[in-house]
Amino acid sequence: MSSQDTVILIPARMASTRLPGKPLADLGGRPMIVEVARRSAAAQIGRVVVATDDEGVRAAVEKAGFEVAMTRADHASGSDRIFEALGRIDPEGRVARIVNVQGDLPTIDPALIRAALDLLDDPAVDIGTLAAEITEAGERINPNVVKAVGSPLSAARLRALYFTRATAPYGEGPLFHHIGLYAYRRRALERFVALPPSPLESREKLEQLRALEAGMRIDVAIVDTVPLGVDTPDDLEKARLMLAREST
């Protein structure tokens, strides 16, 4: 596969309940969504497109020189939004691999984006994602920290069996903090968004369980760090400090 076969799609919506308008939140003179687009482009794996329903986001992203796909406002999830965007930017079906980078990860290392995509080098894998070993005791029992449970394929790779908000698996050994960044084969994304919500997805409130319940294969690359997700004003201040340190 070449960069012509791959697109990074970044869903962005303004209606965040905890941090309204966060795609346009200022980070060192740039809107957050632009910083995510810059880091996505630095991964050098293909075209970068922001998927949004907001004209303000569109204007900011285009001013920074990045591409935008306008989508409907009523999508239930980011995966639904990127699927609509994919149809708009590539109606001929030439793109074979799609990476969904969340629009609230302004400090993400481009290497993590590449790591998720690399999992698709195995033709048996439908979806690639990421996790990092949990090192803080509190995260083991925190339901807001999603755990990836899987069979080790190597020291740096799991085949996912389950994702959960519970503390799992039981017993001695590492636990892994799931990172919500996904690389899809096009046919896998098409199938995924066509499926109804699954029982375990509805119970755990974890969309990726829909794919597992449908028999799709998800592999997980084990990486060193969890990128900061910006969901609250405190998170935003942390991101500003991290980016300020990077620039010095």
Side-chain angles (χ1 to χ4, degrees), residues 3-66:
S3 61
Q4 299 296 317
D5 303 304
T6 304
V7 64
I8 297 174
L9 284 166
I10 309 170
R13 65 187 186 94
M14 293 290 281
S16 169
T17 54
R18 289 187 287 178
L19 190 60
K22 70 177 177 179
L24 298 181
D26 181 76
L27 289 172
R30 291 192 191 95
M32 184 182 336
I33 191 64
V34 171
E35 186 62 30
V36 177
R38 289 180 68 251
R39 287 170 181 261
S40 296
Q44 297 183 322
I45 59 174
R47 185 177 176 187
V48 176
V49 182
V50 173
T52 188
D53 57 31
D54 185 83
E55 287 294 340
V57 171
R58 177 180 188 167
V61 171
E62 289 183 341
K63 182 179 179 182
F66 291 100

Side-chain angles (χ1 to χ4, degrees), residues 76-225:
S77 69
S79 53
D80 293 316
R81 189 178 301 281
I82 67 163
F83 183 67
E84 182 193 352
L86 178 64
R88 292 185 180 277
I89 67 168
D90 182 43
E92 302 87 3
R94 294 173 182 164
V95 169
R97 304 183 300 179
I98 302 96
V99 183
N100 180 357
V101 177
Q102 300 302 318
D104 58 4
L105 299 175
T107 65
I108 190 165
D109 184 342
L112 269 61
I113 301 172
R114 293 193 295 269
L117 182 66
D118 286 346
L119 295 169
L120 299 187
D121 289 345
D122 182 340
V125 176
D126 297 300
I127 301 169
T129 190
L130 306 171
E133 185 172 347
I134 292 174
T135 57
E136 296 182 15
E139 288 195 352
R140 297 173 71 90
I141 60 172
N142 184 347
N144 294 317
V145 175
V146 176
K147 289 79 179 179
V149 181
S151 295
L153 300 175
S154 70
R157 184 170 183 154
L158 305 174
R159 178 171 179 174
L161 300 176
Y162 196 60
F163 295 88
T164 182
R165 298 183 183 278
T167 302
Y170 177 78
E172 294 298 321
L175 269 62
F176 294 100
H177 182 155
H178 178 237
I179 299 165
L181 184 153
Y182 299 94
Y184 296 91
R185 296 192 191 282
R186 189 185 189 117
R187 65 178 182 272
L189 180 60
E190 289 172 348
R191 183 182 176 201
F192 178 78
V193 298
L195 291 167
S198 67
L200 289 173
E201 172 190 2
S202 299
R203 183 167 177 171
E204 291 259 22
K205 302 294 187 273
L206 296 174
E207 190 181 43
Q208 63 271 36
L209 291 174
R210 187 191 318 174
L212 288 182
E213 287 189 81
M216 300 169 76
R217 176 169 167 177
I218 303 177
D219 275 19
V220 183
I222 305 304
V223 297
D224 293 333
T225 58

Side-chain angles (χ1 to χ4, degrees), residues 27-28 39 237-248:
L27 289 172
R39 287 170 181 261
E237 286 306 314
K238 289 177 186 175
R240 285 170 174 157
L241 289 172
M242 290 173 70
L243 292 172
R245 285 198 294 267
E246 282 185 11
S247 63
T248 57

